[in-house]
């Protein structure tokens, strides 16, 4: 995305003469500084001249009293006043007053502190002081009002780096593309220089052992203790005493209980139960057969 320079530049073009009018210089109280409301003319290639003053105020007083109002601007270079107007209200009733002054341009550096002072019995309110000015700006100053405008401007490289370093992707037709590309290449070199940690592969047996017993990787099993417990739970059978014993003679044990042959009687209760179940089955079956034949 190309940077739009219109947001950095004044509304005038190269080598233009700009005429303008300030806002009201009088805010709180009856003193002010023209520097606060005039355009910035601190650059060595900008010149500003004040070529007019317009002021307005309301005077409140008794018609029989004497009062004088002084509207002034100090001369910041030569001393005294670069502008002074005196309004004598003696013997006059209170009223509002508006005055306009036009003159050849007076350099802006001469315009010092401004004020409205009242001598006598009267009060000034609703005061307003406006300056008319002319400002000449040459092309050289326009170039360097923003360091990004030209490589000849002081701080150009720093401003370009700050601008392009925040952009992830830039079109090739952008005027700062070469600077952006150089920064990307520099970043790639820095990434390649970063050390890469090489992790050696361990054999399965060694890794398993570490996982079991190495406290660094959370091993919680003691192999020797585990083997001892397994031996206790599953001891080896000792068959030797069995096949080493010799029996001298066989012992014959006679039968103690002998059952005599006899005839067991039938279980009449069971027979009756079977007969009842057979009769019930026959009744159910005959009912089913009848429904199949008659459809009822």
């Amino acid at each position: 995305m190309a940077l739009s320079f219109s947001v950095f530049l004044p509304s005038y073009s190269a080598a233009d003469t700009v005429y303008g009018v300030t806002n009201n210089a009088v805010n709180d109280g009856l003193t002010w500084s023209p520097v606060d409301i005039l355009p910035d003319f601190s650059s060595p290639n900008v010149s500003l001249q004040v070529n007019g003053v317009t002021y307005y105020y309301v005077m409140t007083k008794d018609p029989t009293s004497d009062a004088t109002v002084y509207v002034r601007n100090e001369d910041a270079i030569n001393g005294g006043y670069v502008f002074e107007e005196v309004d004598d209200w003696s013997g006059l009733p209170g009223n509002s007053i508006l005055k306009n002054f036009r003159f050849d341009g007076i350099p802006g550096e001469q315009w010092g502190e401004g004020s409205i002072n009242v001598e006598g019995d009267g009060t000034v309110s609703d005061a307003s002081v406006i300056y008319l000015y002319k400002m000449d700006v040459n092309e050289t100053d326009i170039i360097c009002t923003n360091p990004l405008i030209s490589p000849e401007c002081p701080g150009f490289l720093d401003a370009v780096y700050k601008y392009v370093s925040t952009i992830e992707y830039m079109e090739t037709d952008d005027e700062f593309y070469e600077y952006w590309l150089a920064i990307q290449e520099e970043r790639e070199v820095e990434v390649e220089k970063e050390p890469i940690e090489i992790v050696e592969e361990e054999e399965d047996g060694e890794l398993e052992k570490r996982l079991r017993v190495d406290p660094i990787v959370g091993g919680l099993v003691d192999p020797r203790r585990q083997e001892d417990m397994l031996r206790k739970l599953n001891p080896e059978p000792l068959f030797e005493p069995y096949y080493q014993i010799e029996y001298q003679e066989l012992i014959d044990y006679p039968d103690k209980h002998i059952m005599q042959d006899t005839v067991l009687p039938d279980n009449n209760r069971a027979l009756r139960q079977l007969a009842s179940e057979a009769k019930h089955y026959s009744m159910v079956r005959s009912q089913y057969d009848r429904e199949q034949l008659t459809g009822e």
Side-chain angles (χ1 to χ4, degrees):
M1 179 179 69
L3 181 64
S4 175
F5 297 116
S6 60
V7 296
F8 295 99
L9 300 179
S11 59
Y12 43 79
S13 59
D16 263 352
T17 297
V18 180
Y19 294 89
V21 179
T22 69
N23 294 323
N24 181 14
V26 183
N27 292 317
D28 298 329
L30 297 176
T31 59
W32 63 92
S33 174
V35 177
D36 295 337
I37 58 170
L38 288 171
D40 182 13
F41 56 92
S42 59
S43 173
N45 296 307
V46 176
S47 61
L48 183 143
Q49 301 84 34
V50 175
N51 53 14
V53 175
T54 297
Y55 72 77
Y56 167 88
Y57 63 86
V58 176
M59 183 65 176
T60 303
K61 62 178 293 293
D62 187 278
T64 60
S65 63
D66 296 333
T68 304
V69 176
Y70 299 87
V71 182
R72 299 165 171 165
N73 271 102
E74 297 177 0
D75 190 329
I77 296 178
N78 303 314
Y81 299 102
V82 67
F83 172 80
E84 181 180 34
E85 179 66 9
V86 180
D87 298 325
D88 187 0
W89 292 85
S90 299
L92 298 175
N95 203 344
S96 61
I97 186 171
L98 172 66
K99 287 187 176 182
N100 298 289
F101 301 88
R102 301 292 182 269
F103 35 78
D104 293 336
I106 301 175
E109 293 82 0
Q110 285 187 244
W111 291 81
E113 295 298 310
S115 62
I116 297 178
N117 298 318
V118 180
E119 292 184 358
D121 296 329
T123 303
V124 170
S125 61
D126 297 332
S128 174
V129 178
I130 295 173
Y131 297 93
L132 285 73
Y133 63 87
K134 179 183 74 170
M135 183 168 61
D136 296 319
V137 185
N138 62 31
E139 184 177 359
T140 303
D141 183 71
I142 289 180
I143 290 176
C144 291
T145 52
N146 175 22
L148 286 173
I149 296 178
S150 171
E152 298 179 1
C153 292
F156 172 77
L157 291 178
D158 291 339
V160 169
Y161 180 83
K162 183 177 180 181
Y163 165 59
V164 301
S165 61
T166 60
I167 299 177
E168 296 183 1
Y169 176 78
M170 181 175 286
E171 298 290 345
T172 56
D173 58 349
D174 193 290
E175 58 184 314
F176 296 111
Y177 176 75
E178 294 183 0
Y179 298 97
W180 177 84
L181 185 62
I183 290 178
Q184 302 308 310
E185 293 176 351
E186 181 181 352
R187 288 176 177 173
E188 291 178 0
V189 172
E190 292 178 355
V191 171
E192 292 177 357
K193 290 182 178 179
E194 292 183 359
I196 301 175
E197 182 180 357
I198 300 176
V199 180
E200 297 181 358
E201 295 184 0
E202 300 180 354
E203 296 182 359
D204 293 343
E206 183 65 23
L207 179 59
E208 181 181 357
K209 181 179 178 181
R210 287 191 59 197
L211 291 174
R212 288 192 295 136
V213 301
D214 192 344
I216 296 178
V217 294
L220 302 175
V221 179
D222 186 344
R224 289 173 297 181
R225 183 178 178 184
Q226 186 183 39
E227 291 175 2
D228 184 58
M229 292 175 63
L230 291 174
R231 282 195 299 269
K232 292 179 179 180
L233 293 173
N234 189 24
E236 296 179 0
L238 300 178
F239 295 102
E240 184 177 356
Y242 295 95
Y243 59 75
Q244 286 183 351
I245 296 177
E246 295 182 1
Y247 294 94
Q248 300 299 326
E249 59 183 8
L250 296 176
I251 301 174
D252 185 16
Y253 294 95
D255 293 334
K256 186 176 181 180
H257 300 283
I258 299 174
M259 296 183 65
Q260 301 295 328
D261 293 336
T262 182
V263 178
L264 296 176
D266 294 333
N267 189 340
N268 296 326
R269 182 177 181 182
L271 293 174
R272 288 193 300 269
Q273 180 68 28
L274 291 175
S276 176
E277 291 180 357
K279 184 178 181 180
H280 176 72
Y281 174 78
S282 177
M283 293 174 62
V284 172
R285 184 64 188 177
S286 64
Q287 179 69 21
Y288 173 77
D289 293 341
R290 190 173 67 84
E291 290 179 355
Q292 291 295 323
L293 293 174
T294 62
E296 297 180 355

